Amino acid sequence: MARHSPSSLLTWLLFLLHGQFPPANQPYRTSYHFQPLQNWMNDPNGPMIYKGIYHLFYQYNPYGAVWSANIVWAHSTSTDLINWIPHSHAIYPSQPSDINGCWSGSATILPGGEPLILYTGINQKNQEVQNLAMPKNLSDPYLVEWTKSAKNPLMAPDNTDNINASSFRDPTTAWLGPDGKWRVIIGSEIGSSGMAVLYWSKDFIQWTKAQHSLHSAEDTGMWECPDFYPVSGTGADGLDTSTIGPGVKHVLKVSLFDTKHDHYIVGTYDIVKDVFIPDKGSEEYKSWLRYDYGKYYASKTFFDGAKNRRVLWAWINESTDATIDVKKGWSGIQGIPRQIWLDRSGKQLVQWPVEEIEKLRMNQVDLPGRLLKGGSMVEVSGVTAAQADVEIEFEIPELEKADFLDPNWSDPQAICRQKGAPVRGGFGPFGLLVLASKDLQEHTSVFFRVFRHHDKNKFAVLMCSDQSRSSLLLDYDKTTFGAFVDVDPTREKLSLRSLIDHSIVESFGAGGKACISARVYPSLAVDGNAHLYAFNNGTQSVRVSKLRAWSMKKAQINYANERANY
Ligand code: DQQ
């Protein structure tokens, strides 16, 4: 029988008896993921860098741990994307065009360096309209105060188009064409077709709706939080959002309201026709890829000119229901910001936690390379397993005995669900057991399986995150996630990195070609009672060529200090 430490037992007793976590003992607060001190947070808004300071705004309910329509833009700044200082709310309902809520939007840096924000306001008639906000004082690098255009709203659905006033939101960062016109897209739907409504402007104030959309797709429903940006065909460097030209591809990302998943399409931007053309094979919604095959929504990128990279933010929601969120007094975190670039194949994106996160690493532990026999595991001790960064690499020299891939298996998540960590295959499952209790009653398993295609000497690599045994006491959504990873196991090692932070496991397969984020709420594997293992539950041995882990320091996130300005 598992043993609770006295403190975790007390936490659970208080929670069960009084329906509340004691304020000083919050087992699910994260230590290095961005979150406000309390209350509800959802989408990242207007991320940018201005005068060397990173800004993150976010959808925030100042009054409670659940979403509310009259939401505001809360604001924090950082010099390293890891430690954050809170500021007063930047944008909040104050004029007829946003009196019922200030919803998501984006920042654009004008050629002279001035940042502007376009955001969705919910007006006095509860319609979605687009508004402009600008900094009050450009010499303040923290951009604490914002003012709104007297001309708001700048864009509103009118009767001449079919756009419904409740499906017209989330303006992107604008981009400037060689003709001197700004372009911006707004998420929408007509019938069941999702759509990126395109607007043009010469001065950022007068906006004209184009007769055509930048792109649309049947049966995808409402497109929330679109994002549209160029990527280099030749490396990991990021590009300013207005970049076009040879060697540049474009990415359109949409957050599908119906499925709550972020999908992206790689393609070409035709600046003359002002349309986005998906690459061959990516036309159909079913072929669109996802940034993350776990929980990851309403994401937004920005170009970080200081480090020449494109950085991705996203909201990672709780897996608990609202009653639990209310009891713990908060809901929602942001994923660790990721650098994002086009893979050498040109077919997909690659994501990797920004390098700054490595500043938090301490107590490095290296396990010598070893053969991990089928049915064995090894503990990674010496790190704080509830707050850790771990990297592991597997080699499979001989794949003769790989199981065949059933040609009917096209849905990776369904395979992961059917074949959870206890189901033994030939090669796999092998990977990491994280947030595990000593007796393994509780654990989350992140692992690979390798299959052989029937007709060819080709292999398919599946990556899974199985949450089904992640908690004994708390009931929540423990859906198993899965993705195919585009990697050839006969030529490359299979690498896995997991960022573990109390109630989140963010995993990166094959150097960031497939990512899975999961929320888990263990009752035993809490703080010092959490363990970390490498495991192989396949019948065949695999070689672990690298196993390196670090404890992670706590980041300074949103603690009020002398700059705080509530
Ligand atoms: N969240 C915002 C909307 C957006 C949605 C409202 C996506 O602007 O469409 O909080 O999570």
Side-chain angles (χ1 to χ4, degrees):
M1 171 69 193
R3 289 193 44 192
H4 287 80
S5 75
S7 70
S8 81
L9 197 59
L10 182 67
T11 302
W12 280 96
L13 273 175
L14 282 164
F15 174 67
L16 294 171
L17 289 173
H18 302 294
Q20 253 179 353
F21 287 104
N25 198 347
Q26 282 261 1
Y28 307 129
R29 290 281 303 176
T30 59
S31 281
Y32 61 93
H33 282 75
F34 183 95
Q35 57 182 137
L37 288 183
Q38 58 184 3
N39 296 332
W40 167 273
M41 171 178 66
N42 54 302
D43 317 351
N45 289 157
M48 65 170 151
I49 180 166
Y50 179 68
K51 292 189 191 284
I53 302 288
Y54 291 105
H55 291 255
L56 178 67
F57 305 86
Y58 54 95
Q59 293 280 284
Y60 179 66
N61 176 7
Y63 307 109
V66 293
W67 184 81
S68 126
N70 60 349
I71 204 149
V72 307
W73 279 44
H75 181 200
S76 295
T77 57
S78 168
T79 52
D80 59 8
L81 289 170
I82 303 300
N83 298 287
W84 293 88
I85 296 171
H87 298 286
S88 48
H89 301 150
I91 304 175
Y92 44 86
S94 70
Q95 55 174 208
S97 63
D98 68 11
I99 200 66
N100 286 314
C102 297
W103 289 16
S104 287
S106 307
T108 303
I109 311 274
L110 301 186
E114 181 189 348
L116 295 177
I117 282 174
L118 286 170
Y119 70 98
T120 298
I122 307 301
N123 72 10
Q124 69 279 48
K125 296 184 189 149
N126 275 317
Q127 295 165 327
E128 294 168 13
V129 297
Q130 315 315 322
N131 295 323
L132 177 67
M134 44 270 178
K136 257 195 190 156
N137 174 8
L138 284 172
S139 63
D140 171 18
Y142 298 96
L143 299 172
V144 171
E145 288 188 278
W146 290 76
T147 181
K148 295 174 186 172
S149 170
K151 300 251 168 65
N152 285 340
L154 306 186
M155 296 165 240
D158 62 36
N159 297 333
T160 60
D161 50 38
N162 296 323
I163 292 170
N164 192 307
S166 59
S167 313
F168 181 62
R169 56 183 179 269
D170 309 336
T172 56
T173 294
W175 67 98
L176 187 60
D179 55 3
K181 275 199 296 194
W182 287 100
R183 279 104 170 136
V184 74
I185 52 173
I186 320 286
S188 187
E189 72 177 327
I190 292 186
S192 60
S193 294
M195 180 169 299
V197 179
L198 177 66
Y199 275 81
W200 294 308
S201 174
K202 282 262 178 206
D203 59 2
F204 234 90
I205 302 281
Q206 304 277 341
W207 290 88
T208 311
K209 186 168 156 290
Q211 289 306 304
H212 63 279
S213 63
L214 183 82
H215 193 58
S216 71
E218 282 172 14
D219 297 326
T220 51
M222 175 67 192
W223 287 4
E224 295 190 308
C225 301
D227 196 13
F228 185 58
Y229 54 90
V231 281
S232 163
T234 54
D237 278 357
L239 299 172
D240 177 87
T241 308
S242 297
T243 310
I244 48 169
V248 173
K249 305 279 304 184
H250 271 75
V251 173
L252 176 65
K253 185 278 306 188
V254 293
S255 302
L256 296 188
F257 177 78
D258 290 351
T259 61
K260 290 283 180 292
H261 294 316
D262 278 18
H263 290 266
Y264 69 86
I265 321 167
V266 179
T268 314
Y269 172 43
D270 181 335
I271 180 80
V272 179
K273 296 194 181 128
D274 241 328
V275 288
F276 172 71
I277 305 151
D279 280 351
K280 235 175 170 321
S282 316
E283 298 91 345
E284 291 282 316
Y285 150 66
K286 290 207 170 100
S287 62
W288 295 353
L289 298 171
R290 280 168 59 184
Y291 280 158
D292 192 296
Y293 290 82
K295 293 183 83 99
Y296 205 77
Y297 195 63
S299 61
K300 193 174 294 294
T301 62
F302 74 101
F303 173 60
D304 174 5
K307 290 207 167 182
N308 265 326
R309 59 184 174 180
R310 185 158 285 273
V311 175
L312 170 70
W313 280 101
W315 167 42
I316 301 182
N317 195 8
E318 305 302 308
S319 290
T320 42
D321 67 36
T323 52
I324 304 271
D325 298 344
V326 169
K327 282 173 188 167
K328 65 192 197 327
W330 57 272
S331 173
I333 63 176
Q334 300 291 326
I336 294 299
R338 302 174 181 178
Q339 184 171 350
I340 185 163
W341 67 94
L342 187 65
D343 179 52
R344 230 178 292 145
S345 68
K347 291 188 182 147
Q348 70 157 103
L349 297 168
V350 185
Q351 301 158 64
W352 198 244
V354 291
E355 60 186 6
E356 289 88 336
I357 194 72
E358 295 167 23
K359 287 198 310 190
L360 297 178
R361 289 171 166 177
M362 58 179 182
N363 302 340
Q364 179 174 319
V365 168
D366 280 283
L367 264 66
R370 69 183 68 213
L371 201 68
L372 207 52
K373 290 219 167 103
S376 71
M377 58 195 290
V378 54
E379 176 156 15
V380 185
S381 37
V383 292
T384 53
Q387 197 174 305
D389 183 357
V390 52
E391 293 184 350
I392 189 165
E393 261 174 23
F394 296 95
E395 267 176 73
I396 315 172
E398 180 48 74
L399 273 158
E400 265 302 293
K401 299 209 169 108
D403 298 339
F404 282 102
L405 184 74
D406 184 328
N408 298 318
W409 288 344
S410 55
D411 177 356
Q413 183 172 10
I415 312 173
C416 289
R417 206 179 306 130
Q418 239 179 63
K419 292 177 180 285
V423 180
R424 298 192 78 174
F427 289 102
F430 54 85
L432 295 168
L433 292 187
V434 305
L435 292 171
S437 58
K438 185 77 195 154
D439 55 9
L440 295 181
Q441 282 195 77
E442 284 185 346
H443 61 267
T444 293
S445 12
V446 189
F447 58 85
F448 294 115
R449 286 179 188 277
V450 182
F451 296 102
R452 173 197 290 278
H453 284 286
H454 261 284
D455 44 349
K456 315 163 225 151
N457 208 19
K458 280 200 172 164
F459 298 90
V461 176
L462 181 72
M463 173 178 166
C464 306
S465 184
D466 176 356
Q467 286 69 244
S468 55
R469 289 159 209 84
S470 53
S471 181
L472 283 184
L473 291 190
L474 204 53
D475 194 20
Y476 54 88
D477 179 6
K478 294 177 182 162
T479 302
T480 293
F481 303 122
F484 283 120
V485 197
D486 185 17
V487 58
D488 177 353
T490 61
R491 302 164 70 134
E492 293 165 71
K493 293 176 184 164
L494 291 182
S495 74
L496 174 65
R497 176 177 180 189
S498 289
L499 293 171
I500 305 154
D501 194 2
H502 299 274
S503 64
I504 176 160
V505 183
E506 258 186 280
S507 299
F508 300 82
K513 283 184 166 181
C515 307
I516 303 183
S517 297
R519 299 300 308 275
V520 290
Y521 309 85
S523 64
L524 307 174
V526 171
D527 295 330
N529 294 325
H531 297 262
L532 173 64
Y533 301 88
F535 79 104
N536 175 14
N537 197 30
T539 55
Q540 304 301 310
S541 301
V542 291
R543 193 174 164 72
V544 176
S545 48
K546 174 181 172 189
L547 178 43
R548 179 169 288 177
W550 297 263
S551 300
M552 293 295 268
K553 286 180 222 152
K554 190 174 170 62
Q556 289 298 307
I557 298 179
N558 290 331
Y559 290 101
N561 66 9
E562 69 280 3
R563 274 217 62 87
N565 179 7
Y566 283 103

